Amino acid sequence: MAKIVRINMTKKEVLVEAVPEKYFMLGGRGLTSQVILDEVDPLCHPLGKNNKLVIASGLLTGTTAPSSGRISIGAKSPLTGGIKESNAGGTVSRKLARLGIKAIIVEGQPEEKEMYIVKIDKNEIVLLPASGLENMGNYDTVKYLKKVHGNDVGVVSIGQAGEMLLSIASIAVTDMEGLPTRHCGRGGLGAVMGSKGIKAIVVDDEGASEQLLEIKDKEGFTAIGRNLAKTLIETKVGLKNFGTASLVDPVAAIGALPSRNYSSGDFAGKEKINGQALQNFILEKGGKYGHSCSPGCVIRCSNVVHNKDGEYLTSGLEYETLGLCGSNLEIDDLNVIGTISFKCDDYGIDTMETGVAIGIAMEAGVLTFGNGDEAIKLIDEIAEGTTLGKVLGQGATVTGKVLGVKRIPAVKGQAFAAYDPRAMKGNAYTYATTPMGADHTAGNALPGRGAWVGPVDPNKKDNYQEASRDLQIFATVLDVMGFCNFVGISPVEGEIIAQLLSKVTGEEYTLDDVKEIGMKTIKCEIKFNRLAGFTKADDRLPEFINEELLPPKNLKNDITDQEFDEVFNL
Amino acid sequence: MAKIVRINMTKKEVLVEAVPEKYFMLGGRGLTSQVILDEVDPLCHPLGKNNKLVIASGLLTGTTAPSSGRISIGAKSPLTGGIKESNAGGTVSRKLARLGIKAIIVEGQPEEKEMYIVKIDKNEIVLLPASGLENMGNYDTVKYLKKVHGNDVGVVSIGQAGEMLLSIASIAVTDMEGLPTRHCGRGGLGAVMGSKGIKAIVVDDEGASEQLLEIKDKEGFTAIGRNLAKTLIETKVGLKNFGTASLVDPVAAIGALPSRNYSSGDFAGKEKINGQALQNFILEKGGKYGHSCSPGCVIRCSNVVHNKDGEYLTSGLEYETLGLCGSNLEIDDLNVIGTISFKCDDYGIDTMETGVAIGIAMEAGVLTFGNGDEAIKLIDEIAEGTTLGKVLGQGATVTGKVLGVKRIPAVKGQAFAAYDPRAMKGNAYTYATTPMGADHTAGNALPGRGAWVGPVDPNKKDNYQEASRDLQIFATVLDVMGFCNFVGISPVEGEIIAQLLSKVTGEEYTLDDVKEIGMKTIKCEIKFNRLAGFTKADDRLPEFINEELLPPKNLKNDITDQEFDEVFNL
């Protein structure tokens, strides 16, 4: 029987609860957001005892559907002050599903600073003291926990940053190799986990074989999943060969690749960090491309990167990191960007928020654009807890305020992803209107995406209002299901999901029903944010996006307030 | 003829405009707030070219009404992100009135960092380069400007902090001795002035004799003013003898004197910093009490304080500074608190926001409660621009975030005044609901105040909803008129103002008409804030006020959200 695990860190008490019926058909982001709306005071301090950290497998995680193993983590965000969900691949989601755990709700907090390990296996869920792990990075933490609890466990953990309650702290999830490389990066959820006094959650699914989701027509479901897998394998060859780094060229081509703290949309060194360059680097130094980040993923866009000396450097070197810690900082050295990626993963900080914050510090003259050594040193300062490190640790918006930089590329207090919205109008809509802050995964209008609503030239706003709305809805559906974003955010995949859900329930699901699932979650998130004090004034891009022309295409924002408000009309 | 001076700092252009009729009966805060609502995009960056700095004399400034010489300065605040007005005494307001200048509106900003002096006399208004004054404190700036422009000029200026665009930067106004001791302290208006590239405004009223306000019945007006003056002289003896320091004892008695970053409402060293202690200190070391802060003030609550060696230390050592830089930091040495006051005035920072931010840094362990030397050193760091100084320079809220302190005594991003709202329910209402952030001058429910609505025990919320509303309305009226807060925030003074306005206009003003003046301004401010993204969720006290019991009376907030919302029902 599917269950919810409720961990009260004030009382150090673990309760196992039945799943309320209203949560049966929710999973992932749909479930985390609904629990937060149901249980969290929108005005609570994000790092206080009244916030809750909710961890949920996708609705389809553990089934035969391909690429459905993502794990969603949600809370009121210390970065945005609003609701937040951030999801990652890795092995833990499927392990939780096999243990029949639909969600973990962590509430309360220890009176004094104490850190614990939550150990979950098929027999029990216990809290163990995290003695000896204090102030330890994710890599060593996971290494230690695997030594104690077995090599096959999955681990959700925080590094130094989460313990330090930094608003850029991420939550790491172990990957297929058992390394803490998959991160729920955005929104400072690592700080919420730290504030609860939890250093790591160790999940051992040995001997477990529960089925989270009851499927009425298993054979029919598996057949549809198999077809989907076949399509994904056939169509995502570019991602398999070049990873998300394959985005560098097309994003630069439309003039949206951030450079020099979002003062340019192109970068002279782009060919040193693009998909081909990364593939060459991997072929030369060792490592791997075409690598799955979670079990059952057939897209295999991930990679393992070795350093210039041929030793393990980092895993999952992604476009967002290349864009925000590379081109945005004018750094074109893959060895340096890989080092940044590793350190961010180890300290447990979001590479995206970190890259943007460093770009702001560079604009302020604290360090120099293009200087990788200085950037690495500054990242070390974050973990060391110097005053400057603490400033960066609060993210781009606070860094800009403290260092006196007005060009702060952020919405709702969260930094832009690696697409300048002046040259990518679809993401202008998405950044401004998603309840999540300037996320790309909330509805990434990549070149070509959204074409079902009509012609979509990324530089022109034309059809992007409707396209962004659709993309946001479909992206949310994927997040609910536990599907990876690359399964596809379009009506085509929406139809497939409708078919899958029909097989699950034995009832006919239409595309509209599927869209309704996405919209229901978005509405729930907007409701929370409104109660937390957000208004339409928060659904706006920063002033410089309206005023400064972005070279090389010399574009600025031309979407009106009304057009932003019409995306959801809520 | 009354005029408005519009200074465009992009074009370096000064325009003199007629006063639009709708502004005729507005002055002070009423005028600054209305101009900001009329002319400033609520979503603009507070330190960008689209914000405006508005300086206005009170409606009655320059008339024979006593204690009516305050100057209001307003803008969108870099501290709160909402509308802000902050007013001060000093000599400039009356000089502007004598020059017939009802308001100065500064707009635009230089492309590059350049600093200017605005020189105003009866013949012309010119922009002069501020060469040699860069990074100079207010005391030296004023000394220099008086040497160049004559000893009798009035000066509005910023210190290092305003030039550094710190959100705690104040604007100094010269006092009766020509020293920069009267400050529009709150909300970071000094940073807005700095962002406009204006180091100082020098006002020379020699030979000027304009009358800002046309008064229909001058004799009748003067007679009422004379009566008011007589009453003030007779009833404000305590303020004359002990200054605002006379509040230390009664506020401590009700358990609302902040100590140890608002973790206690009483302070063991209170007798070393109370009214009697300050009077003794002045009598012993030299200096002066019973001193007027602006021409025509008969209340004379100000002082000049000499240091332990008998030399000039500071002027206008006020209760808020004693509470926030004294008891709140567990500092009980008047020489130290006076030094802090002087340095804050010189660097141009708000003693209140600074005191609260330092209290937070003390709670974080950056320095030690009670250690005056460390506190002074930290204030020096603000002007030096160290990273820690820059953090403190962004005020209490950012300091708390960066240093990881959850007890942040602030509303709308602005620190509490020196009254803990748990033990002073009237100020709980005022802090939460004034559009200004946690100001005391917005409607200070001092013990006894508000009694016209019924019994008012400061520890009980009883009648304070209505009392706070009335106090906020009457306080706003005083701010519109240019009256000092100590003229009195009650229906009694409301009636007197009605009589004065009747004599001005020749039309019958009632108490209700006067309240309508206050309410109109408050509505205008709330409207701006709503457009800037504020909601009722911003009309709340921080979570710890609802949860932590405040010793010695062990009180916490018991006012409900609904009760807060009913204050203005807007």
Side-chain angles (χ1 to χ4, degrees):
Chain A
M1 258 269 291
K3 54 194 179 248
I4 286 177
V5 174
R6 187 178 293 272
I7 304 175
N8 184 310
M9 292 305 295
T10 307
K11 302 181 191 165
K12 320 284 173 341
E13 185 179 84
V14 179
L15 294 174
V16 175
E17 301 172 353
V19 178
E21 198 178 330
K22 66 184 260 203
Y23 295 162
F24 279 4
M25 287 301 286
L26 287 176
R29 172 174 164 189
L31 186 51
T32 61
S33 289
Q34 188 64 51
V35 170
I36 291 161
L37 179 64
D38 291 346
E39 300 194 9
V40 175
D41 174 2
L43 295 182
C44 74
H45 195 298
L47 302 176
K49 66 182 190 323
N50 296 324
N51 198 3
K52 302 195 182 190
L53 187 77
V54 186
I55 303 173
S57 306
L59 183 66
L60 302 183
T61 302
T63 69
T64 52
S67 305
S68 64
R70 292 189 76 83
I71 187 164
S72 285
I73 305 188
K76 172 168 171 166
S77 162
L79 187 73
T80 69
I83 199 165
K84 191 71 209 170
E85 182 264 4
S86 187
N87 60 66
T91 64
V92 173
S93 192
R94 184 179 284 206
K95 287 180 193 289
L96 289 175
R98 281 167 52 88
L99 288 158
I101 296 172
K102 195 169 171 72
I104 301 171
I105 303 173
V106 185
E107 56 192 30
Q109 70 185 173
E111 293 275 326
E112 303 292 325
K113 191 179 168 172
E114 308 168 63
M115 297 304 287
Y116 290 85
I117 304 296
V118 180
K119 170 73 201 307
I120 302 178
D121 61 30
K122 79 179 168 66
N123 300 313
E124 59 176 5
I125 300 163
V126 288
L127 288 172
L128 307 170
S131 323
L133 296 179
E134 298 89 353
N135 208 30
M136 195 179 268
N138 280 310
Y139 273 87
D140 281 346
T141 297
V142 165
K143 198 171 160 189
Y144 174 88
L145 290 171
K146 287 167 72 101
K147 209 158 73 183
V148 174
H149 298 287
N151 205 44
D152 292 338
V153 298
V155 180
V156 173
S157 64
I158 56 172
Q160 292 89 341
E163 289 190 60
M164 294 159 81
L165 309 184
L166 302 184
S167 291
I168 64 170
S170 63
I171 296 178
V173 180
T174 46
D175 63 15
M176 304 280 282
E177 286 74 35
L179 296 175
T181 67
R182 316 313 310 178
H183 284 248
C184 296
R186 309 226 71 192
L189 299 174
V192 179
M193 186 158 151
S195 77
K196 301 298 180 201
I198 295 182
K199 177 72 178 173
I201 301 174
V202 178
V203 183
D204 180 355
D205 65 341
E206 202 190 329
S209 58
E210 301 239 16
Q211 196 69 43
L212 251 192
L213 190 67
E214 259 184 73
I215 300 174
K216 283 267 164 71
D217 176 0
K218 281 194 186 177
E219 271 180 42
F221 184 94
T222 299
I224 296 162
R226 200 177 296 129
N227 259 340
L228 173 60
K230 193 162 164 280
T231 310
L232 292 174
I233 291 167
E234 283 167 10
T235 56
K236 309 283 172 170
V237 178
L239 279 169
K240 190 180 157 204
N241 287 335
F242 302 108
T244 51
S246 58
L247 290 170
V248 170
D249 289 340
V251 176
I254 62 169
L257 183 68
S259 191
R260 287 190 82 87
N261 186 30
Y262 286 81
S263 64
S264 170
D266 198 8
F267 173 48
K270 66 191 166 198
E271 282 169 18
K272 295 190 184 168
I273 62 167
N274 67 9
Q276 189 61 62
L278 182 57
Q279 196 197 54
N280 291 346
F281 191 81
I282 290 170
L283 288 170
E284 210 174 294
K285 312 292 180 191
K288 194 175 170 186
Y289 63 85
H291 171 260
S292 294
C293 87
S294 65
C297 182
V298 297
I299 301 167
R300 302 166 75 177
C301 71
S302 190
N303 52 38
V304 177
V305 180
H306 286 193
N307 69 12
K308 56 181 173 16
D309 304 317
E311 294 148 348
Y312 175 84
L313 180 58
T314 191
S315 179
L317 185 52
E318 309 282 358
Y319 168 74
E320 303 300 330
T321 307
L322 294 163
L324 295 175
C325 300
S327 62
N328 186 46
L329 309 183
E330 294 193 325
I331 293 174
D332 61 9
D333 181 334
L334 286 173
N335 199 66
V336 170
I337 304 171
T339 304
I340 290 175
S341 166
F342 171 80
K343 283 183 180 269
C344 287
D345 285 355
D346 195 36
Y347 299 148
I349 55 180
D350 177 15
T351 59
M352 298 171 64
E353 194 73 32
T354 302
V356 175
I358 294 176
I360 289 169
M362 284 176 168
E363 179 167 328
V366 172
L367 64 172
T368 320
F369 279 110
N371 191 322
D373 290 342
E374 287 179 2
I376 290 169
K377 192 179 155 295
L378 186 49
I379 289 171
D380 286 339
E381 283 199 41
I382 296 173
E384 288 158 12
T386 68
T387 303
L388 182 60
K390 284 179 182 166
V391 172
L392 275 279
Q394 289 305 317
T397 302
V398 168
T399 299
K401 271 195 180 182
V402 170
L403 300 181
V405 172
K406 277 187 283 179
R407 189 191 289 112
I408 302 178
V411 178
K412 299 182 178 68
Q414 183 176 270
F416 290 178
Y419 317 87
D420 196 302
R422 286 167 288 190
M424 200 158 156
K425 303 296 183 186
N427 279 9
Y429 274 114
T430 298
Y431 287 172
T433 60
T434 168
M436 291 291 150
D439 270 2
H440 63 297
T441 56
N444 200 357
L446 293 172
R449 262 192 185 165
W452 59 89
V453 301
V456 281
D457 173 349
N459 292 162
K460 296 201 178 113
K461 64 180 176 179
D462 294 345
N463 293 305
Y464 273 112
Q465 187 190 63
E466 202 184 336
S468 169
R469 180 191 308 124
D470 280 3
L471 288 165
Q472 289 191 58
I473 291 170
F474 288 125
T476 306
V477 171
L478 295 178
D479 293 342
V480 173
M481 298 300 146
F483 275 133
C484 166
N485 222 278
F486 288 125
V487 164
I489 331 186
S490 88
V492 175
E493 294 80 22
E495 290 282 7
I496 295 169
I497 290 169
Q499 291 165 24
L500 287 168
L501 294 179
S502 303
K503 300 300 176 190
V504 169
T505 58
E507 285 162 33
E508 178 77 9
Y509 270 70
T510 65
L511 181 61
D512 280 346
D513 295 331
V514 167
K515 289 178 83 168
E516 180 58 28
I517 291 170
M519 204 52 226
K520 202 182 141 202
T521 292
I522 292 171
K523 278 184 186 167
C524 144
E525 292 162 350
I526 290 175
K527 183 170 178 193
F528 184 93
N529 280 356
R530 292 274 160 84
L531 293 169
F534 287 64
T535 72
K536 291 183 191 307
D538 298 294
D539 291 346
R540 301 290 179 261
L541 299 174
E543 198 178 36
F544 80 93
I545 294 294
N546 301 322
E547 301 202 334
E548 290 180 21
L549 290 173
L550 178 74
K553 301 233 175 179
N554 295 323
L555 296 167
K556 58 182 181 178
N557 178 50
D558 59 348
I559 301 169
T560 65
D561 290 354
Q562 195 187 333
E563 286 168 334
F564 282 130
D565 293 341
E566 285 166 358
V567 170
F568 291 122
N569 265 327
L570 289 172
Chain B
M1 258 271 291
K3 55 194 178 248
I4 286 177
V5 174
R6 189 178 293 271
I7 304 175
N8 185 311
M9 292 305 295
T10 308
K11 303 180 191 165
K12 318 284 169 351
E13 184 179 85
V14 179
L15 293 174
V16 175
E17 301 172 354
V19 178
E21 197 178 332
K22 66 183 259 199
Y23 295 162
F24 279 4
M25 287 300 286
L26 287 176
R29 172 175 163 189
L31 186 52
T32 61
S33 290
Q34 188 63 52
V35 170
I36 291 160
L37 178 65
D38 291 346
E39 300 194 11
V40 175
D41 174 1
L43 296 182
C44 74
H45 194 298
L47 302 176
K49 67 184 190 325
N50 296 324
N51 198 4
K52 302 196 182 191
L53 187 77
V54 187
I55 303 173
S57 306
L59 183 66
L60 302 184
T61 302
T63 69
T64 52
S67 305
S68 65
R70 293 190 75 85
I71 187 164
S72 284
I73 306 187
K76 172 168 170 165
S77 162
L79 188 71
T80 69
I83 199 166
K84 190 72 210 171
E85 182 263 6
S86 187
N87 61 66
T91 64
V92 173
S93 192
R94 184 179 284 206
K95 287 180 192 292
L96 289 175
R98 282 165 52 88
L99 287 158
I101 297 173
K102 194 169 171 73
I104 301 170
I105 302 172
V106 185
E107 56 193 31
Q109 69 185 173
E111 293 275 327
E112 303 292 326
K113 192 181 167 170
E114 307 168 65
M115 297 303 289
Y116 290 85
I117 304 295
V118 180
K119 171 73 202 305
I120 302 177
D121 61 30
K122 80 179 167 67
N123 300 315
E124 60 176 5
I125 301 163
V126 288
L127 288 172
L128 308 170
S131 323
L133 295 179
E134 298 89 355
N135 208 27
M136 194 180 269
N138 279 310
Y139 274 88
D140 281 346
T141 297
V142 165
K143 198 171 160 189
Y144 174 87
L145 290 171
K146 288 168 72 98
K147 209 158 74 183
V148 174
H149 298 287
N151 205 43
D152 292 337
V153 298
V155 181
V156 172
S157 64
I158 56 172
Q160 293 89 339
E163 289 190 61
M164 294 160 82
L165 310 184
L166 302 184
S167 291
I168 64 169
S170 63
I171 297 178
V173 181
T174 45
D175 64 15
M176 304 279 282
E177 286 74 34
L179 298 175
T181 68
R182 316 311 311 178
H183 284 248
C184 296
R186 310 227 70 192
L189 298 174
V192 179
M193 186 159 152
S195 77
K196 301 298 179 201
I198 295 184
K199 176 72 178 174
I201 302 174
V202 178
V203 183
D204 180 356
D205 64 341
E206 203 189 329
S209 58
E210 300 240 14
Q211 195 69 43
L212 252 192
L213 191 68
E214 260 184 72
I215 300 174
K216 283 266 164 69
D217 176 359
K218 281 195 187 178
E219 271 179 43
F221 183 95
T222 299
I224 296 162
R226 200 176 297 129
N227 259 341
L228 173 60
K230 192 160 165 281
T231 308
L232 291 175
I233 291 167
E234 283 167 9
T235 57
K236 308 284 172 169
V237 178
L239 279 169
K240 189 180 158 207
N241 287 335
F242 302 108
T244 51
S246 59
L247 290 171
V248 170
D249 289 339
V251 176
I254 63 169
L257 183 69
S259 190
R260 287 190 83 86
N261 186 30
Y262 286 82
S263 64
S264 170
D266 197 9
F267 173 46
K270 67 191 165 198
E271 283 169 17
K272 295 190 184 167
I273 63 168
N274 67 9
Q276 189 62 61
L278 183 57
Q279 195 198 54
N280 291 346
F281 190 81
I282 290 171
L283 287 171
E284 210 176 295
K285 313 292 179 191
K288 194 174 169 186
Y289 62 86
H291 171 260
S292 294
C293 88
S294 65
C297 182
V298 297
I299 300 167
R300 304 166 75 178
C301 71
S302 189
N303 52 38
V304 178
V305 180
H306 285 194
N307 70 11
K308 57 181 173 15
D309 304 318
E311 294 149 348
Y312 175 85
L313 180 58
T314 192
S315 180
L317 185 51
E318 308 283 358
Y319 167 73
E320 303 301 330
T321 306
L322 294 163
L324 296 175
C325 300
S327 63
N328 187 46
L329 309 183
E330 294 194 325
I331 293 174
D332 61 9
D333 182 334
L334 286 174
N335 199 66
V336 169
I337 304 170
T339 303
I340 290 174
S341 165
F342 171 80
K343 283 183 179 270
C344 287
D345 286 354
D346 195 36
Y347 298 147
I349 55 180
D350 177 15
T351 59
M352 298 171 65
E353 195 72 32
T354 302
V356 175
I358 294 176
I360 288 168
M362 285 177 167
E363 180 167 329
V366 172
L367 64 172
T368 320
F369 279 109
N371 192 322
D373 290 342
E374 286 179 3
I376 290 169
K377 191 178 157 294
L378 186 49
I379 289 170
D380 287 338
E381 283 200 41
I382 296 173
E384 287 158 13
T386 67
T387 303
L388 182 60
K390 284 179 182 166
V391 172
L392 274 279
Q394 288 304 317
T397 302
V398 168
T399 299
K401 270 194 181 183
V402 170
L403 299 181
V405 172
K406 278 186 284 179
R407 188 190 289 111
I408 303 179
V411 178
K412 298 181 179 66
Q414 182 176 271
F416 289 177
Y419 316 86
D420 195 302
R422 286 167 286 190
M424 201 157 155
K425 304 296 183 186
N427 278 10
Y429 274 114
T430 298
Y431 287 172
T433 61
T434 169
M436 290 292 150
D439 270 2
H440 63 297
T441 55
N444 200 358
L446 292 172
R449 263 191 184 166
W452 60 88
V453 300
V456 280
D457 173 349
N459 291 161
K460 297 201 177 113
K461 65 180 176 180
D462 294 347
N463 293 304
Y464 273 112
Q465 186 190 63
E466 202 184 336
S468 169
R469 180 191 308 124
D470 279 3
L471 288 165
Q472 289 191 58
I473 292 170
F474 288 125
T476 306
V477 171
L478 295 178
D479 293 343
V480 173
M481 298 299 145
F483 275 133
C484 167
N485 221 278
F486 288 125
V487 164
I489 330 186
S490 87
V492 174
E493 294 80 22
E495 289 282 7
I496 294 169
I497 291 168
Q499 292 166 23
L500 287 168
L501 295 179
S502 302
K503 300 301 176 190
V504 169
T505 59
E507 285 163 33
E508 177 76 7
Y509 270 69
T510 64
L511 181 61
D512 280 346
D513 294 331
V514 167
K515 289 177 82 166
E516 181 57 29
I517 291 170
M519 204 51 228
K520 202 181 143 203
T521 292
I522 291 171
K523 277 184 186 166
C524 144
E525 292 161 350
I526 289 175
K527 184 171 177 192
F528 184 93
N529 280 356
R530 291 275 160 84
L531 294 168
F534 287 63
T535 72
K536 291 184 191 307
D538 297 293
D539 291 346
R540 300 289 179 263
L541 298 174
E543 198 178 36
F544 80 93
I545 294 293
N546 301 322
E547 300 202 334
E548 291 180 21
L549 291 173
L550 177 73
K553 301 235 176 179
N554 295 323
L555 296 167
K556 59 183 182 178
N557 178 50
D558 58 349
I559 300 169
T560 65
D561 290 354
Q562 194 187 333
E563 285 168 334
F564 282 130
D565 293 341
E566 285 166 358
V567 170
F568 291 122
N569 265 328
L570 290 172

